[in-house]
Amino acid sequence: MEKLSRQQIMQVITRYIGSSGGYLADFSYNTHSEFYPVYCGLNIEPDAMEGTTRQRFARILEEANPTSQAKILRGILKRFPPEAETPAHLNLDRRSMYDEINVWISQLELSSTAVPLNFEHSCATVMRPLKTQRCFCPALREQSVPMTGYTQLFMVTSGIRVRL
């Protein structure tokens, strides 16, 4: 999962947090502003935005990067534990949504841990062990021992010519 979808955001709002009109659960403008640094460890200022608390929350969650989305969802789970009492008129489904939100958090965290390769550095890292591989690499100007498929793939995708 790259980011939360609009549908997932609306499920968090309507099925887990609870919303009525423009209100988002028991958030006031002040408690909503305090939520991000206290529960999520994020420096977000919802007071700088237009709209109701619900609209601001949805916009913040939608515009956040995957790492921040995961932090906000973790903050929601802390601020509104599934066993906490909820007003009956909100018709919330916190117990079943709790597990689903945890899956989303894991997916968001996994998608944000991918590190782009620095091919300049990676190329040098691959070239060192190649001195012990059996292949002819014009960049090394020598022959050595069998090369793994992964190394071959890396070299081809990096533009390094190899003749086996």
Side-chain angles (χ1 to χ4, degrees), residues 55-106:
Q55 290 167 336
R56 292 175 186 189
F57 177 83
R59 185 169 153 205
I60 288 167
L61 193 52
E62 190 168 13
E63 292 176 358
N65 63 45
T67 302
S68 295
Q69 284 184 332
K71 288 180 179 184
I72 293 168
L73 290 179
R74 281 196 189 284
I76 289 296
L77 297 181
K78 280 188 232 168
R79 172 76 168 73
F80 302 101
E83 62 277 355
E85 287 189 40
T86 60
H89 74 281
L90 291 179
N91 195 26
L92 299 179
D93 192 15
R94 281 190 183 159
R95 292 192 193 283
S96 66
M97 282 293 299
Y98 183 84
D99 292 334
E100 194 168 354
I101 291 171
N102 271 307
V103 169
W104 298 344
I105 290 168
S106 296

Side-chain angles (χ1 to χ4, degrees), residues 7 33 36 38 54 57 63 66 105 117 137 140 149 154:
Q7 179 184 6
S33 290
Y36 299 100
V38 172
R54 175 186 166 145
F57 177 83
E63 292 176 358
I105 290 168
L117 286 176
C137 179
L140 295 174
F154 176 83

